[in-house]
Amino acid sequence: MATTASTTQRLRVPLYKNIKHVRSGPKSYARALAKFGINPTKEGPIYRGSKAESRGVLSAAKGALMGAQTLVRENVLLKRDTASDEGDHVPATDIEHDAEYLCPVEIGSPAQKLMLDFDTGSSDLWVWSDKLPSNVKSEYASKHTIYDSTKSSTFKNMSGSTWQISYGDGSSSSGTVGTDNVVIGSVTVEKQAVELANNLSTEFQQGAGDGLLGLGYPNINTVKPAPVATPVKNMIDQSDIPKGSEIFTAWLGSWKDADSTEGTSWYTFGFIDADALKSLNVQAEDVKYTPVDSSNGFWQFASTSAKVNGKVIQLANNTAIADTGTTLALVSDQVCEAVYDAIPGATYDYMQQGYVLPTNTAVDKLPEVQVAVGDNLFSIHKEDLIFADAGNGMSYGGIQSRGSMPLDILGDTFLKGVYAVFDQGNERFGAVQRPEEQGATQVSGGAF
């Protein structure tokens, strides 16, 4: 059990709302398709297929590719042209590349403060860096904190190490690697591997954040020739967090707090927040845990049933991952259909590539939806069944199809309904149900 710590010793890491972020259901769904390599099973404009591409050197004099070769790429994320039904690459503007919430992290000596996207579905810590092309740095200098390794006395280059992240939509980021001190809340991680962006595709340049901090398991880290330890792994190895409390927790706030920039969402590292538990009228012993299978690098656990308005849906051998880097909850088509069949006026929209429901649906007309985390069922808040405006009096649903993905992706739509405990030391995931009315409640800081 996690040990008690005072708030002067242990601090929450606040999540700040990205005020420029505008929710879009189709863009968020396309982002998940790209991130996880999903092939949609529900018809819509976006699909996966093969794409022939010409490669060569462009001759300005002849206006053509010289020495061109035609290469065929497989399993590419494509978008149908409504007139010709032909597919081409999904435009960058059709995929969400911005984070809704960002966390402050300090890197280097003296410290350089960056705002990063915390993502339990990945394991890289990469940042905008001084290694980027000069034109990119000059264009975005006013919009980002660009980490400058030359100004840190504790930075050390990792010669020969490189990293690259690429998605099925063609977006990518890549660069070199070094180590530096990283401060997250009250925890200082020494000699943490920091992946410096030398190249960012247009899609990655669109986001408001200064990079990403992965909270998945190290085996999906992309650094070569050998993966590097994540910040949480280093916290454990360096005894930055106490034995028996090798955890981090997440409390994600409600859409009701959309106008607030702080205080409603946060992480802790090395402790369970005592005041959060108190606000829920529970003790640490009441956290419901289930074992995690970390072999795929995710926070993956058994989720063999769901319930919609009291009707149980058996899902033999089904698993799910808890992913703070995905805004929606993606589940099987069977569960999706049960959810939206229970909402008057809900339907599947081909052009939106997702389920939509009437925006004016009364709360008492929304179904009670529960998903299993191990042997326990947890409710998704009804307010989170409505994700974003879809036009024509309809809203995009917070629960959508996982397509070809063999497991559920329980993103923010699910996580906003629980206080989540990621116990890396014991390889288990825990949760406490948060009541619907507490979605917008702020509780004072504390540690358990």
Side-chain angles (χ1 to χ4, degrees):
M1 181 170 60
T3 56
T4 303
S6 71
T7 54
T8 57
Q9 295 171 314
R10 302 287 178 186
L11 301 176
R12 291 176 175 176
V13 182
L15 274 161
Y16 292 85
K17 183 171 175 58
N18 174 8
I19 59 175
K20 296 182 179 180
H21 182 271
V22 178
R23 278 188 168 187
S24 166
K27 289 183 180 181
S28 292
Y29 188 58
R31 170 65 173 175
L33 299 181
K35 178 179 178 179
F36 292 101
I38 297 172
N39 188 17
T41 52
K42 302 291 291 184
E43 284 293 315
I46 297 177
Y47 67 102
R48 287 191 177 273
S50 58
K51 181 66 176 175
E53 298 179 345
S54 294
R55 302 288 179 86
V57 178
L58 180 64
S59 170
K62 297 184 178 182
L65 287 172
M66 304 302 295
Q69 293 181 323
T70 299
L71 303 176
V72 178
R73 293 181 59 203
E74 302 292 342
N75 200 36
V76 179
L77 202 62
L78 302 173
K79 184 176 182 179
R80 289 185 180 88
D81 182 276
T82 53
S84 66
D85 203 39
E86 294 293 321
D88 204 348
H89 290 289
V90 182
T93 53
D94 285 1
I95 297 182
E96 183 61 79
H97 287 280
D98 205 1
E100 191 166 358
Y101 293 93
L102 299 167
C103 282
V105 174
E106 295 182 347
I107 304 177
S109 305
Q112 301 173 48
K113 182 178 177 180
L114 288 80
M115 300 299 290
L116 303 183
D117 180 9
F118 280 23
D119 180 9
T120 59
S122 63
S123 300
D124 289 86
L125 194 178
W126 70 265
V127 298
W128 282 64
S129 82
D130 59 309
K131 311 301 181 187
L132 286 163
S134 56
N135 65 313
V136 174
K137 289 188 291 184
S138 60
E139 181 177 354
Y140 291 95
S142 63
K143 301 176 182 178
H144 290 277
T145 297
I146 298 175
Y147 169 70
D148 190 340
S149 59
T150 66
K151 294 182 179 179
S152 174
S153 62
T154 46
F155 176 80
K156 302 292 182 185
N157 184 52
M158 290 178 60
S159 180
S161 290
T162 60
W163 66 279
Q164 180 175 4
I165 297 172
S166 58
Y167 296 130
D169 62 339
S171 62
S172 65
S173 58
S174 61
T176 54
V177 186
T179 61
D180 210 336
N181 293 344
V182 174
V183 179
I184 305 171
S186 56
V187 180
T188 299
V189 184
E190 297 181 347
K191 299 179 180 179
Q192 171 62 47
V194 179
E195 299 163 36
L196 313 180
N198 293 34
N199 300 284
L200 292 174
S201 66
T202 302
E203 295 85 353
F204 276 87
Q205 294 174 20
Q206 292 176 352
D210 304 320
L212 180 142
L213 190 148
L215 295 169
Y217 282 85
N219 47 319
I220 55 172
N221 177 267
T222 70
V223 172
K224 296 183 181 305
V228 296
T230 61
V232 173
K233 181 66 166 63
N234 276 331
M235 288 180 190
I236 294 171
D237 292 346
Q238 296 176 17
S239 298
D240 295 320
I241 51 181
K243 192 74 174 176
S245 296
E246 297 163 336
I247 63 173
F248 63 93
T249 77
W251 178 289
L252 303 185
S254 164
W255 64 267
K256 294 176 184 176
D257 306 309
D259 295 330
S260 177
T261 57
E262 61 180 305
T264 59
S265 300
W266 38 265
Y267 285 82
T268 69
F269 291 85
F271 67 96
I272 298 174
D273 194 287
D275 287 332
L277 295 181
K278 183 178 180 181
S279 75
L280 299 172
N281 296 313
V282 299
Q283 305 294 323
E285 295 80 7
D286 297 316
V287 178
K288 305 298 185 184
Y289 290 100
T290 192
V292 164
D293 176 2
S294 62
S295 60
N296 294 316
F298 301 124
W299 289 89
Q300 184 173 347
F301 45 81
S303 182
T304 57
S305 68
K307 187 182 287 188
V308 178
N309 280 344
K311 184 178 180 180
V312 176
I313 303 169
Q314 297 295 343
L315 305 167
N317 301 316
N318 190 58
T319 63
I321 65 172
D323 181 21
T324 61
T326 298
T327 52
L328 302 166
L330 305 186
V331 299
S332 69
D333 289 335
Q334 178 186 5
V335 174
C336 270
E337 290 167 6
V339 170
Y340 292 100
D341 282 349
I343 302 175
T347 187
Y348 181 80
D349 188 312
Y350 174 93
M351 293 306 297
Q352 302 268 0
Q353 199 141 4
Y355 288 92
V356 297
L357 65 154
T359 302
N360 62 358
T361 303
V363 171
D364 62 0
K365 298 297 183 182
L366 291 171
E368 176 75 15
V369 180
Q370 296 175 293
V371 295
V373 176
D375 296 329
N376 298 280
L377 287 168
F378 291 89
S379 296
I380 293 175
H381 284 174
K382 290 186 177 183
E383 68 176 31
D384 292 310
L385 296 179
I386 299 176
F387 179 73
D389 180 53
N392 300 315
M394 304 295 281
S395 290
Y396 198 85
I399 297 174
Q400 298 293 340
S401 168
R402 72 187 192 187
S404 64
M405 194 73 173
L407 48 80
D408 296 342
I409 303 170
L410 300 181
D412 297 352
T413 291
F414 166 77
L415 292 168
K416 286 181 178 182
V418 300
Y419 179 33
V421 180
F422 298 82
D423 188 342
Q424 192 155 327
N426 292 304
E427 295 223 349
R428 59 182 185 169
F429 173 77
V432 178
Q433 184 73 61
R434 290 159 56 187
E436 180 91 19
E437 64 273 14
Q438 191 169 10
T441 299
Q442 297 184 36
V443 293
S444 58
F448 185 91

